Amino acid sequence: MKLHQSVVGFFMLLTSMVSTALEITGEWQQGGVMIGKVPQGMSVEYRNKLLRISPTGEFVIGLGRDADKTATLITIDSEGLRREHRFAVKSRTYKIQKVTGVPQRTVEPDPAQVERAKREAQMAADARRVDLPLIFFAQKFEWPLVGPITGVYGSQRFYNGVPNSPHYGVDIAKPVGTLVKAPAGGVVTLVHPDMFFSGGTLIIDHGHGLSSTFIHLSKILVKKGDAIIQGQPIAKVGKTGRATGPHLDWRMNWFEERVDPQLLVPPMPAE
């Protein structure tokens, strides 16, 4: 009897040790970004894919706008023991925005413009697909500029009464030419001076698939392949592409998943 109790106690202790080996920072909610950490030698699997683990055990996961109610991670120790971890994902309610006065040609672009937009979207998708061994994703992100927030992640926009795809960034209204700074360190993976929808477009990869996209820029101050440090001037605000006025649209991705930048920064400071 005592032997049986000892064995049961040992396995309960082992289970407790394994469950606490996984550390997660961040709230499990739609659009959220979670920073995880595991002991050396442990692997993490998500959606049947092994995640990149930094030398110190950090990894990142991003949830899309309409993520499922439950997220499941698998940790795998050095002996091959697999353990499932399930997390409840909080649903969000998104805002509806109506924008009028948009030129009809941008609401209903001609076929040539549609083809151009598809090619440019593929360029951006390729830039976001990289999985660089950088650890800037674990930095405390900063606002790329300070100003009024005029658009938020997940909102559904109607242009001239026509429903459009959800908005996946945070819009900050500032005059053309205002400096934009890097919210975290990284490497530039895309620079384009004038895309049809997004105008001047810049993508910075922060590592492990987490990237920032800055659009409607009037000028880009860095080039593809540049190493960027947090707070470095990287571009200037514009109103290029499909923009109704001067502002910065800051978006973030974890590979193909579009995540909410506002969940990674403190409240917008006063000007």
Side-chain angles (χ1 to χ4, degrees):
M1 184 66 176
K2 290 184 178 181
L3 177 61
H4 174 72
Q5 290 176 337
S6 298
V7 171
V8 171
F10 171 76
F11 278 106
M12 288 179 65
L13 176 62
L14 179 62
T15 299
S16 175
M17 292 173 62
V18 172
S19 62
T20 57
L22 174 65
E23 300 175 16
I24 299 288
T25 302
E27 184 178 354
W28 289 91
Q29 61 178 305
Q30 292 175 332
V33 175
M34 272 58 63
I35 307 300
K37 187 171 184 179
V38 291
Q40 187 174 15
M42 182 172 284
S43 302
V44 179
E45 183 180 292
Y46 178 65
R47 291 184 175 179
N48 300 315
K49 177 183 177 181
L50 286 175
L51 302 182
R52 179 183 289 279
I53 308 292
S54 75
T56 51
E58 287 90 359
F59 64 92
V60 60
I61 290 175
L63 301 179
R65 177 185 185 270
D66 303 307
D68 294 336
K69 294 181 179 180
T70 303
T72 302
L73 304 184
I74 305 293
T75 53
I76 309 166
D77 68 15
S78 58
E79 302 298 323
L81 178 64
R82 298 170 63 90
R83 179 177 175 82
E84 184 178 279
H85 308 262
R86 296 171 65 85
F87 301 90
V89 177
K90 180 181 176 181
S91 297
R92 295 171 59 182
T93 300
Y94 300 107
K95 296 182 179 180
I96 299 297
Q97 295 179 312
K98 295 182 179 180
V99 181
T100 58
V102 178
Q104 194 62 24
R105 63 183 176 82
T106 61
V107 178
E108 298 177 358
D110 64 37
Q113 292 172 330
V114 171
E115 286 303 312
R116 173 188 169 188
K118 286 181 179 180
R119 292 194 301 271
E120 293 168 348
Q122 187 59 55
M123 293 171 60
D126 291 343
R128 296 180 181 123
R129 193 173 290 121
V130 298
D131 187 2
L132 301 180
L134 308 173
I135 58 171
F136 299 108
F137 66 87
Q139 283 186 314
K140 291 184 178 180
F141 278 62
E142 301 174 349
W143 284 99
L145 78 164
V146 175
I149 295 175
T150 56
V152 295
Y153 171 91
S155 57
Q156 182 77 35
R157 287 185 169 183
F158 287 71
Y159 288 103
N160 296 347
V162 179
N164 197 25
S165 299
H167 182 52
Y168 290 110
V170 53
D171 292 340
I172 308 167
K174 294 296 286 186
V176 171
T178 305
L179 275 179
V180 178
K181 298 180 179 181
V187 170
V188 178
T189 54
L190 177 70
V191 171
H192 196 293
D194 187 25
M195 288 188 169
F196 174 67
F197 282 109
S198 57
T201 302
L202 168 66
I203 297 180
I204 296 177
D205 191 279
H206 305 296
H208 293 217
L210 190 68
S211 64
S212 286
T213 301
F214 310 90
I215 66 178
H216 305 310
L217 303 170
S218 61
K219 187 174 183 180
I220 299 174
L221 306 177
V222 294
K223 63 182 184 298
K224 184 176 180 179
D226 281 356
I228 304 299
I229 61 172
Q230 188 175 55
Q232 175 181 337
I234 53 176
K236 293 184 178 181
V237 171
K239 55 179 181 179
T240 56
R242 190 178 181 177
T244 56
H247 71 284
L248 172 68
D249 185 343
W250 174 29
R251 306 185 175 202
M252 291 192 70
N253 276 64
W254 182 64
F255 298 114
E256 76 281 358
E257 296 290 356
R258 298 179 181 273
V259 299
D260 187 353
Q262 279 194 264
L263 298 179
L264 288 176
V265 289
M268 176 68 77
E271 294 189 74

